[in-house]
């Protein structure tokens, strides 16, 4: 589906920031943005829209852990993260991530499809997911929240996760489709994670809420994908993202304003 009307406050695709590949598996993927732990309320984030019509990804930084053969490319108007290497965002482990710095209160939204890389029409394999990640860029231990869609064991599912100093708290909720619109909304120290159908129909469903006063005011935010099907080597997975928007969020009602 196209970018929702009015989402992102009218910012143009692209924007500041140079695209680069994160260094040799180092935490932070090359970004140095950060800052002190915020106090509520946060100032609203700047609006941003990218419909992925620029193959060079000028507004993004690409992080691929050392030894991971993942590729990131824009094709047919979508950002595609292809993951052939066993990887996951769990505890201290890392996976491919395309991010930009977002400072303040925000709602970040994407439309994503989870598919086999070898056959876009085939069902996604077990333990393969794609979605949105909001991560502390300051290095050291992993600290983040995310929401993804894919397959958990025998059923399609949304996964939500909050990781604090390499300790991960996760949950799953069954769904009927490997495609979805996903959202992370930050108001103060609270992060609300939502999903709705891929075509944008219906209301947003709150999947999880986390209180993370430890996270700084500026975070790395963007699409990610991972695959850890123990039966398969290499992995056979691709997450395709039609667009990503960021809009300011100053109060709870902003999280589902559209």
């Amino acid at each position: 589906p196209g970018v929702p009307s009015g989402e992102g406050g009218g910012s143009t695709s692209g924007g500041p920031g140079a695209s680069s590949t994160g260094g040799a598996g180092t935490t932070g993927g090359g970004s140095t943005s950060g800052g002190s732990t915020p106090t509520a309320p946060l100032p609203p984030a700047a609006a941003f829209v990218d419909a992925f019509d620029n193959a060079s990804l000028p507004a993004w930084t690409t992080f691929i852990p050392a030894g991971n053969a993942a590729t990131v490319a824009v094709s047919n108007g979508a950002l595609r993260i292809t993951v052939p290497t066993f990887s996951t965002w769990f505890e201290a482990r890392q996976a491919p991530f395309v991010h930009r710095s977002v400072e303040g209160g925000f709602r970040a939204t994407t439309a994503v499809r989870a598919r086999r890389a070898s056959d876009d029409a085939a069902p996604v394999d077990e333990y393969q997911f794609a979605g949105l990640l909001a991560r502390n860029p300051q290095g050291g231990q992993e600290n983040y929240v995310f929401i993804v869609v894919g397959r958990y064991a025998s059923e399609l599912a949304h996964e939500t996760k909050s990781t604090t100093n390499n300790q991960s708290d996760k949950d799953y909720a069954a769904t009927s489709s490997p495609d979805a619109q996903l959202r992370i909304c930050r108001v103060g120290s609270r992060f609300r994670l939502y999903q709705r159908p891929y075509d944008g129909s219906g209301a947003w469903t709150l999947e999880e809420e986390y209180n993370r006063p430890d996270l700084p005011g500026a975070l790395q935010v963007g699409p990610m994908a991972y695959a850890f099907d123990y039966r398969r080597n290499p992995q056979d997975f691709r997450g395709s993202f039609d667009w990503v928007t960021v809009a300011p969020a100053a109060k709870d009602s902003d999280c589902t304003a559209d």
Side-chain angles (χ1 to χ4, degrees):
V3 178
S5 177
E7 187 70 4
S11 293
T12 57
S13 175
S19 177
S20 64
T21 300
T26 57
T27 300
S31 175
T32 59
S33 62
S36 60
T37 301
T39 57
L42 290 167
F48 169 78
V49 177
D50 197 340
F52 299 120
D53 51 8
N54 188 330
S56 67
L57 295 171
W60 301 93
T61 297
T62 296
F63 170 62
I64 298 176
N68 195 306
T71 60
V72 174
V74 172
S75 178
N76 297 323
L79 172 68
R80 296 187 174 188
I81 305 177
T82 303
V83 186
T85 306
F86 186 98
S87 56
T88 182
W89 285 104
F90 179 69
E91 297 182 339
R93 301 172 189 172
Q94 300 170 326
F97 179 33
V98 180
H99 61 85
R100 59 182 281 112
S101 180
V102 176
E103 184 168 10
F106 67 87
R107 66 172 187 260
T109 311
T110 193
V112 58
R113 298 184 304 123
R115 291 287 191 273
R116 292 189 188 182
S118 62
D119 184 353
D120 194 64
V124 65
D125 286 328
E126 295 181 4
Y127 305 111
Q128 298 182 342
F129 293 92
L132 286 175
L133 173 68
R135 178 181 183 236
N136 187 337
Q138 295 176 1
Q141 296 180 312
E142 286 295 336
N143 288 276
Y144 58 77
V145 301
F146 74 56
I147 182 168
V148 292
V149 65
R151 182 177 293 277
Y152 175 76
S154 61
E155 63 182 357
L156 297 172
H158 299 108
E159 180 187 4
T160 53
K161 186 178 294 179
S162 176
T163 295
T164 304
N165 296 330
N166 290 350
Q167 298 300 308
S168 293
D169 175 26
K170 63 182 185 298
D171 200 7
Y172 299 90
T175 187
S176 60
S177 173
D179 310 331
Q181 288 191 17
L182 303 176
R183 171 170 290 175
I184 297 175
C185 184
R186 180 186 198 177
V187 177
S189 64
R190 305 201 72 84
F191 290 78
R192 294 173 173 86
L193 280 52
Y194 297 88
Q195 56 84 13
R196 70 179 180 185
Y198 173 73
D199 63 4
S201 62
W204 286 102
T205 297
L206 178 65
E207 288 293 341
E208 190 57 86
E209 181 175 346
Y210 299 112
N211 185 29
R212 294 297 305 269
D214 59 298
L215 291 177
L219 299 175
Q220 295 172 344
V221 177
M224 61 85 158
Y226 61 91
F228 61 107
D229 185 347
Y230 293 93
R231 307 164 306 165
R232 182 183 292 276
N233 186 23
Q235 304 292 299
D236 184 14
F237 182 63
R238 176 180 293 130
S240 294
F241 301 83
D242 295 342
W243 42 262
V244 173
T245 68
V246 176
K251 55 188 183 299
D252 293 349
S253 59
D254 291 338
C255 291
T256 55
D258 59 339

